[in-house]
Amino acid sequence: MKSFLDISKIDVTFPTPKGEFTALKEVDLQIQKGEFVSLIGHSGCGKSTVLNVIAGLVQAKNGGVILNQREVNEPGPERAVVFQNHSLLPWLTAYQNVELAVKQVFGKSKSPAETKEWIEHNLKLVYMDHAMQKRPDEMSGGMKQRIGIARALAMQPEVLLMDEPFGALDALTRAHLQDSLMEIQDELKNTVVMITHDVDEAVLLSDRIVMMTNGPAATVGEILDVDLPRPRDRLALANDPHYNHLRSEVLTFLYEKQAKVQPVKAKKKPSVVSTNSHVA
Amino acid sequence: MLSLRKLIVAAACTLAVSATADELGYPEKEELTFGFIKLTDMAPIAVAYENGYFEDEGLYVTIEAQANWKVLLDGVVTGRLDGAHMLAGQPIAATIGYGTKANIITPFSMDLNGNGITVSNDVWEKMKKHIPKQADGKPVHPIKADALKPVVEEIHAAGKPFNMGMVFPVSTHNYELRYWLAAGGLHPGYYAPHKGDTSGQLDADVLLSVTPPPQMPSTLEAGTISGYCVGEPWNQQAVFKGIGVPVVTDYEIWKNNPEKVFGITEEFAEKYPNTTIRLVRAMIRAAKWLDENDNANRPAAVKILSQSNYVGADYDVIANSMTGTFEYEKGDKRSVPDFNVFFRYNATFPYYSDAIWYLTQMRRWGQISEDKPDSWYKDIAAKVYRPDLYQKAAESLIEEKLVSASEFPDFATEDGFRPPQTHFIDNIVYDGKAPNAYINKFAIGLKKGDKL
Amino acid sequence: MNALIQRFTGAAESGESLPLQALAILKQVALPVLGIAAFLLLWGLLAKQVDTSLGSFPGPASVAEQVKNLYQEHVAERAKADAFYERQEKRNADRVAKDPNYVPKVRAYTGKETFLDQIGTSLVTVMSGFLLAASFAIPLGIAVGLSKPLNEAINPIIQIFKPVSPLAWLPLVTMVVSALYVSDDPFFAKSFVNSVITVMLCCIWPMVINTSIGVSSVNSDWVNVGKVLRLSPLKNIQKIVLPASIPAIFTGMRMSLGIAWMVLIAAEMLAQNPGLGKFIWDEFQNGSSSSLSRIMTAVLVIGVIGFLLDRGMLMIQRWVSWDKSQAAR
């Protein structure tokens, strides 16, 4: 079975004054269309590098990434990235930030009216239609991140890459955004790869959790299927034993097993949990 | 019918134009820029402007102060300036290729006299002992460099050099200062351009160096030089500032010596003949106005010169020399009615003999490193000094009754040589027709056959 | 002013008592005034102590008098100019009457530049040199900032030319301009071209350096945004690099304008090019009893103009730049 996004045995090295540093070693991961996958691991384990390889911002030394039967070798809007620090352009308003992306991706294929409608639609999706004319420095961190998500969604990417999107936010704001994200995901059924270091976030949002070993030469440690039914409710799940079991699995990996590099070994059969998974 | 009328009008116009413009047409170039150095002897240019003489000729002239003589000369050579107030030696030196080589000509001589030699207070105190006194206790004039000689010897004995400033290597001031020093037995130094030595300090008792005129007082004040030779108002300025004492004027070194000239390029005169004649006309009128009725207009002239865009020094400072007096030691103000002569004694006529005197001094001090025949002196003088242009301007003014013929040399007989001149501080007679013989008369200086 | 109003309303909202607000305003206005007053007093006292050969050093009173004189001279010169044009018109009319084929030409006034004219000349010159420098420096800075190899090739040249004084350039500029800029009826005066080029050569470097630093240090997230959006190189510069570097570019521009103004005065002094520098030099050469106070007047005017130029740039920066925190100072 061919997967939608195939990360096959990638090695990533960086040159340093002391010689080559091997960041990733034989990272291998297959993701199906519509699947929400989280990458979790301690800081410095190379989670972001994996994401950057998928995004095309970092080139793998060996191995490669195939998305929808095309090899990835440079960045592109079909792999939209939501960056950790929102990375909105501060000289543009919320609307203009999204507009830049929309015009670049859809160009002449949308009429001005359609463009405008599409931008507004995406901003509405993240509940930011009231702040369209605000500049980033007039917005809170959560608002900025919402715009960042809207910008990424507006590109209609084949895969949405999120690099610790809520990492810099306070707990309450983070919860709000997670809920919004789930809501959007229910509607759009995007393929998502998300980096996180938050165990609850990973379990709450993901279909699968990819646990990374510590670097150097980090690789995929274990993969956990999160077979909780959707829509998920954070309050209800708080007392759900299965939820807590999944949570403790991740915690065990992170705090007991993480010291050793282990070969790729799936905890359960790597099947697709998501109901709407098809090979394109 | 119409065309006939047009024809008549046109004919009438041609007639009217030719009546006035037959001998002198409209200027070919009307907008001109003239350069000057802040010295009172630039007065003819300022007066020609302020009194509207330039405009009467249809010339629109901008007058610009220049930083120093080199900048001014380069300005004329490059065409940034159309003409300028120049040291008499500059057009000559440019023509023979000493310094910048260029064909600069002089259709108009700007003035006679007007320079002085000033020494610092220190030097003056030491000199004073050696100067004979008049009945009233004031020093006898002219003061000769004989009085400076023991002072220089004293300073040399102390192992120090004696420095003086002049304004340019080919300036009147350089030659006058040298003349005065040499007449008093002090060697001012030779030039040896063929050996690349243009410092003019070979064998020198007194080391001469170049300082732009307006900076003379401050350079003296700073102690870099112990004296200088410069035009006005910079000698009188030293008296007013109390930093130095003028000891001698060039009038006393050589009575009615030619001083500044108006210089233009030969190319300019050829390209714009009418403009050339017209600007000479304007300046002849200005010079006449400056000397009219026994210097009656001088106070008005001083007022013009004291404007910041001309000389810019205080009225009193300029007035001192311009109105016929000269203050030596503070309080010792003497009458020198001919200190500045702009028109009398044919001051504005470009005499060949004046040019030749400069050439003799260039030879005397080695700027011309080889012997030249007398004919060469005459040829160079005739190339630079252009009495022909002057004559055209003067004659047209006479015709328009703006001046009278008696104020000029008799053009019919004038050969461009003044009669042998006797009024030098060392009593040596100068005859422009025999330059080599003249050079041989000096005790200090290169003579025929000498080569450094 | 804005700050003042804000402070005022802010204080009202927070319920501060009126005397406190008054005190705040007083502080903002009174302290600078006090500082200036103290300076004037000290200046006035010390000036009298310094005796030069042109009289004592000018105090505030003599400078104030010269300000008045210079203005009056300006007015008088304008009157002379009017008379000049009138005479010219008449002369032209006369000539046309005699010679109908003559096409009269109005020539500009040939009299002296007044102090105010010279201020104008200096301002025009400095802005021309500065804008010319900016038009070279900013594209060059962007190119250097974007390309590491270019940066490494050009950096040594920049580092060598950056510390060169205008006075060193001037003779070369003068000679080159007179050699290359030949025209019978030049649109710009040679002296103007000399000044502009000298100013340009001296103020181009801070702009190149700051622009290149700004461009090369664009936030990597924004660079990645550009990459993900697959912006074309030109669009990348237009949409990401240029706006992101605006604060750095403006910092360079402000430095450059300051240098340009200083350089211009020196160049005008040395080359006798029209402007405030020439005014000072001429007055120094004149050595009249009012020269020192006129020079002092020019010194103050140069200072005030330099200050206003910097404020002006700051205002433009505030208006143009997205980074308001940088423009605050």
Side-chain angles (χ1 to χ4, degrees):
Chain A
M1 183 187 67
K2 267 230 166 102
S3 48
F4 181 65
L5 175 62
D6 188 354
I7 301 152
S8 60
K9 299 232 167 89
I10 52 170
D11 295 350
V12 174
T13 59
F14 295 111
T16 70
K18 289 176 196 156
E20 270 195 350
F21 170 80
T22 306
L24 298 179
K25 183 82 187 156
E26 291 193 0
V27 172
D28 205 76
L29 183 64
Q30 282 72 41
I31 295 165
Q32 300 307 324
K33 192 170 166 73
E35 199 179 6
F36 193 119
V37 174
S38 290
L39 266 69
I40 198 162
H42 287 282
S43 352
C45 74
K47 315 180 287 268
S48 291
T49 310
V50 175
L51 194 88
N52 283 340
V53 172
I54 302 170
L57 294 166
V58 168
Q59 296 299 317
K61 189 186 175 200
N62 296 312
V65 176
I66 291 171
L67 171 65
N68 202 6
Q69 294 165 27
R70 280 193 318 267
E71 186 172 1
V72 168
N73 42 30
E74 60 164 343
E78 75 280 1
R79 280 161 284 125
V81 184
V82 177
F83 296 92
Q84 184 170 3
N85 291 313
H86 66 82
S87 72
L88 297 180
L89 304 176
W91 52 90
L92 300 179
T93 62
Y95 182 90
Q96 288 168 329
N97 264 288
V98 179
E99 184 185 35
L100 178 67
V102 171
K103 283 200 167 158
Q104 186 63 22
V105 173
F106 298 99
K108 297 259 176 338
S109 68
K110 277 194 197 303
S111 71
E114 284 170 334
T115 303
K116 185 168 183 287
E117 199 187 345
W118 178 241
I119 295 163
E120 286 171 357
H121 167 76
N122 280 284
L123 284 166
K124 239 174 235 157
L125 217 54
V126 295
Y127 302 110
M128 277 293 116
D129 46 328
H130 65 281
M132 286 196 294
Q133 297 313 320
K134 284 204 160 96
R135 280 173 199 275
D137 58 1
E138 299 166 312
M139 292 188 259
S140 69
M143 287 165 82
K144 282 187 265 205
Q145 205 52 271
R146 282 174 190 268
I147 308 292
I149 292 168
R151 177 174 63 184
L153 291 174
M155 296 182 215
Q156 270 188 336
E158 293 173 15
V159 55
L160 181 63
L161 305 173
M162 305 177 92
D163 187 359
E164 295 191 31
F166 313 130
L169 305 177
D170 64 272
L172 226 57
T173 312
R174 197 185 308 164
H176 276 297
L177 259 75
Q178 288 164 350
D179 291 343
S180 292
L181 186 59
M182 281 194 286
E183 213 175 285
I184 292 164
Q185 189 57 16
D186 278 347
E187 188 181 329
L188 300 179
K189 315 263 188 279
N190 272 314
T191 310
V192 181
V193 179
M194 181 179 81
I195 307 284
T196 183
H197 54 225
D198 180 334
V199 177
D200 289 303
E201 181 173 279
V203 177
L204 180 67
L205 297 178
S206 313
D207 298 322
R208 271 195 300 159
I209 300 174
V210 176
M211 291 171 271
M212 303 262 312
T213 65
N214 278 349
T219 188
V220 175
E222 291 176 14
I223 296 177
L224 179 71
D225 275 340
V226 182
D227 47 0
L228 295 167
R230 291 181 189 266
R232 296 171 185 170
D233 176 70
R234 72 171 66 240
L235 280 178
L237 286 174
N239 297 317
D240 183 315
H242 187 49
Y243 172 83
N244 284 321
H245 168 74
L246 292 167
R247 206 172 157 271
S248 69
E249 288 266 337
V250 179
L251 287 170
T252 310
F253 176 85
L254 287 177
Y255 298 106
E256 282 178 14
K257 306 181 190 168
Q258 46 90 31
K260 269 191 290 171
V261 179
Q262 293 182 339
V264 183
K265 189 180 87 191
K267 194 82 185 158
K268 287 179 182 172
K269 198 176 68 186
S271 65
V272 179
V273 178
S274 179
T275 49
N276 58 328
S277 64
H278 302 283
V279 178
Chain B
M1 192 61 208
L2 193 77
S3 64
L4 187 67
R5 227 175 78 191
K6 247 189 186 165
L7 204 73
I8 293 168
V9 170
C13 285
T14 321
L15 218 70
V17 170
S18 60
T20 54
D22 220 17
E23 54 283 329
L24 186 57
Y26 288 113
E28 298 88 353
K29 185 173 185 188
E30 297 169 324
E31 281 164 286
L32 303 170
T33 306
F34 293 159
F36 74 98
I37 297 289
K38 289 180 176 279
L39 291 163
T40 51
D41 50 26
M42 62 76 65
I45 301 178
V47 168
Y49 180 88
E50 295 291 330
N51 286 8
Y53 300 150
F54 283 135
E55 286 186 36
D56 287 349
E57 303 295 332
L59 301 175
Y60 297 89
V61 176
T62 305
I63 303 173
E64 268 181 16
Q66 305 297 308
N68 57 54
W69 292 111
K70 167 102 175 81
V71 168
L72 175 136
L73 181 64
D74 288 346
V76 174
V77 172
T78 59
R80 180 174 60 83
L81 299 174
D82 295 299
H85 162 232
M86 278 186 191
L87 295 159
Q90 278 186 305
I92 300 169
T95 301
I96 64 171
Y98 185 78
T100 310
K101 173 101 176 90
N103 287 335
I104 308 280
I105 60 160
T106 290
F108 176 84
S109 176
M110 286 180 71
D111 66 322
L112 305 180
N113 312 324
N115 297 333
I117 295 174
T118 293
V119 296
S120 69
N121 291 336
D122 262 10
V123 172
W124 173 245
E125 283 312 314
K126 291 182 185 146
M127 268 179 86
K128 235 173 158 179
K129 300 190 283 254
H130 309 288
I131 304 168
K133 303 272 183 303
Q134 291 175 179
D136 61 357
K138 286 179 180 173
V140 174
H141 280 202
I143 295 169
K144 297 192 176 182
D146 304 52
L148 180 64
K149 199 173 179 189
V151 180
V152 174
E153 280 163 359
E154 190 187 317
I155 289 170
H156 281 169
K160 283 185 242 162
F162 190 81
N163 298 313
M164 288 184 90
M166 47 83 184
V167 305
F168 203 60
V170 298
S171 68
T172 328
H173 318 82
N174 188 19
Y175 304 125
E176 283 169 357
L177 182 55
R178 284 166 176 272
Y179 201 101
W180 182 70
L181 290 170
L186 287 167
H187 199 303
Y190 289 128
Y191 293 84
H194 56 294
K195 292 182 185 164
D197 186 341
T198 52
S199 65
Q201 297 183 339
L202 291 172
D203 302 339
D205 295 325
V206 177
L207 303 176
L208 304 186
S209 57
V210 169
T211 306
Q215 274 132 274
M216 285 293 187
S218 48
T219 313
L220 183 75
E221 203 178 356
T224 316
I225 49 175
S226 304
Y228 55 71
C229 179
V230 73
E232 276 313 302
W234 310 116
N235 293 291
Q236 293 300 293
Q237 185 80 277
V239 181
F240 271 73
K241 285 179 157 190
I243 56 171
V245 177
V247 288
V248 67
T249 63
D250 60 345
Y251 180 77
E252 296 160 302
I253 298 171
W254 174 17
K255 185 176 155 187
N256 291 340
N257 66 89
E259 235 292 309
K260 299 296 182 309
V261 296
F262 190 78
I264 54 177
T265 60
E266 195 174 10
E267 189 196 352
F268 180 93
E270 278 163 11
K271 209 164 154 193
Y272 312 115
N274 292 344
T275 303
T276 304
I277 302 300
R278 285 186 176 277
L279 69 88
V280 174
R281 276 163 53 101
M283 277 193 291
I284 290 174
R285 290 177 67 196
K288 178 179 150 70
W289 181 85
L290 277 161
D291 277 9
E292 238 165 24
N293 307 327
D294 271 339
N295 296 351
N297 294 326
R298 290 292 178 91
V302 174
K303 200 140 190 285
I304 293 171
L305 291 178
S306 64
Q307 287 177 23
S308 63
N309 52 324
Y310 297 124
V311 180
D314 286 348
Y315 180 93
D316 292 343
V317 175
I318 300 174
N320 241 6
S321 62
M322 279 283 282
T323 54
T325 59
F326 194 80
E327 191 168 8
Y328 294 85
E329 205 178 350
K330 200 144 207 157
D332 184 2
K333 203 169 188 173
R334 304 191 188 195
S335 163
V336 191
D338 283 345
F339 182 82
N340 278 118
V341 173
F342 291 102
F343 193 64
R344 301 186 278 276
Y345 320 127
N346 299 331
T348 53
F349 185 75
Y351 281 104
Y352 296 138
S353 54
D354 291 348
I356 292 170
W357 187 81
Y358 285 101
L359 287 165
T360 64
Q361 299 303 305
M362 289 177 185
R363 173 63 193 132
R364 181 184 180 189
W365 302 119
Q367 290 176 333
I368 297 170
S369 49
E370 284 166 353
D371 274 336
K372 302 280 183 189
D374 283 358
S375 62
W376 179 85
Y377 287 88
K378 168 73 206 293
D379 291 345
I380 295 294
K383 195 157 188 274
V384 180
Y385 275 47
R386 298 291 297 274
D388 56 319
L389 298 175
Y390 181 92
Q391 190 178 335
K392 275 188 200 159
E395 280 170 346
S396 71
L397 286 171
I398 293 166
E399 198 167 315
E400 289 172 32
K401 303 216 163 27
L402 287 165
V403 291
S404 73
S406 64
E407 293 167 303
F408 296 93
D410 182 359
F411 294 122
T413 59
E414 181 59 59
D415 65 351
F417 285 86
R418 292 185 195 258
Q421 288 164 274
T422 54
H423 299 284
F424 284 87
I425 198 165
D426 54 3
N427 297 318
I428 291 175
V429 178
Y430 166 61
D431 179 1
K433 288 179 175 162
N436 279 303
Y438 178 63
I439 294 166
N440 285 337
K441 290 179 191 171
F442 296 109
I444 297 178
L446 296 178
K447 292 175 194 60
K448 194 165 173 59
D450 285 355
K451 196 167 163 114
L452 285 169
Chain C
M1 194 63 211
N2 255 343
L4 215 75
I5 292 168
Q6 249 172 27
R7 182 168 290 209
F8 194 82
T9 50
E13 273 170 38
S14 63
E16 266 181 55
S17 63
L18 221 75
L20 267 178
Q21 296 167 22
L23 202 70
I25 293 168
L26 204 69
K27 259 189 189 161
Q28 201 151 46
V29 176
L31 288 181
V33 167
L34 209 70
I36 290 169
F39 168 73
L40 288 177
L41 196 73
L42 206 66
W43 171 22
L45 284 175
L46 288 178
K48 280 186 210 133
Q49 311 298 315
V50 185
D51 220 9
T52 72
S53 58
L54 288 178
S56 65
F57 194 83
S62 47
V63 167
E65 195 191 312
Q66 285 310 321
V67 170
K68 202 179 80 190
N69 284 351
L70 286 167
Y71 179 71
Q72 281 168 351
E73 277 172 31
H74 175 77
V75 173
E77 199 64 26
R78 282 289 176 275
K80 269 179 88 174
D82 291 344
F84 169 90
Y85 286 116
E86 228 168 84
R87 287 198 304 275
Q88 189 179 160
E89 221 167 276
K90 191 169 168 298
R91 195 166 301 111
N92 280 340
D94 286 353
R95 187 162 167 186
V96 170
K98 281 183 197 159
D99 173 10
N101 296 325
Y102 177 67
V103 181
K105 188 178 156 200
V106 177
R107 292 154 199 86
Y109 179 53
T110 56
K112 71 162 174 175
E113 280 207 318
T114 66
F115 187 57
L116 288 173
D117 295 335
Q118 274 161 324
I119 292 175
T121 307
S122 283
L123 280 174
V124 168
T125 315
V126 81
M127 288 319 292
S128 311
F130 172 72
L131 292 177
L132 193 66
S135 66
F136 283 109
I138 293 172
L140 182 65
I142 291 172
V144 169
L146 286 177
S147 154
K148 266 229 166 74
L150 193 65
N151 184 9
E152 267 156 34
I154 282 183
N155 198 36
I157 302 171
I158 295 175
Q159 296 303 333
I160 287 168
F161 283 130
K162 192 177 63 149
V164 175
S165 148
L167 311 183
W169 278 117
L170 199 60
L172 297 174
V173 171
T174 311
M175 294 321 288
V176 171
V177 167
S178 11
L180 300 182
Y181 188 67
V182 243
S183 147
D184 273 346
D185 189 21
F187 186 68
F188 295 116
K190 263 186 189 156
S191 59
F192 174 79
V193 176
N194 285 338
S195 294
V196 165
I197 292 179
T198 308
V199 164
M200 188 194 91
L201 285 174
C202 291
C203 76
I204 197 167
W205 311 116
M207 280 193 275
V208 174
I209 292 169
N210 271 281
T211 306
S212 71
I213 289 175
V215 166
S216 63
S217 61
V218 170
N219 188 331
S220 61
D221 280 352
W222 303 339
V223 175
N224 285 341
V225 168
K227 283 184 184 163
V228 167
L229 287 177
R230 257 192 221 141
L231 295 176
S232 66
L234 211 68
K235 204 147 192 190
N236 188 45
I237 291 173
Q238 181 201 345
K239 294 286 181 189
I240 311 259
V241 172
L242 208 55
S245 324
I246 283 272
I249 292 173
F250 263 94
T251 307
M253 283 172 93
R254 274 175 68 196
M255 276 169 71
S256 281
L257 189 57
I259 291 173
W261 186 237
M262 282 202 274
V263 162
L264 177 70
I265 303 296
E268 285 171 349
M269 258 175 108
L270 196 73
Q272 300 289 293
N273 294 338
L276 282 170
K278 182 171 161 62
F279 174 85
I280 291 181
W281 187 247
D282 283 349
E283 285 299 336
F284 174 59
Q285 303 251 294
N286 288 346
S288 81
S289 51
S290 58
S291 286
L292 288 185
S293 35
R294 281 164 170 252
I295 291 173
M296 192 64 204
T297 309
V299 166
L300 292 178
V301 166
I302 289 168
V304 169
I305 290 175
F307 171 74
L308 291 178
L309 284 176
D310 190 59
R311 287 288 116 168
M313 276 306 285
L314 196 67
M315 269 164 67
I316 297 174
Q317 179 174 6
R318 277 196 190 141
W319 183 56
V320 171
S321 174
W322 47 272
D323 191 349
K324 308 294 174 199
S325 66
Q326 259 236 315
R329 269 162 296 125

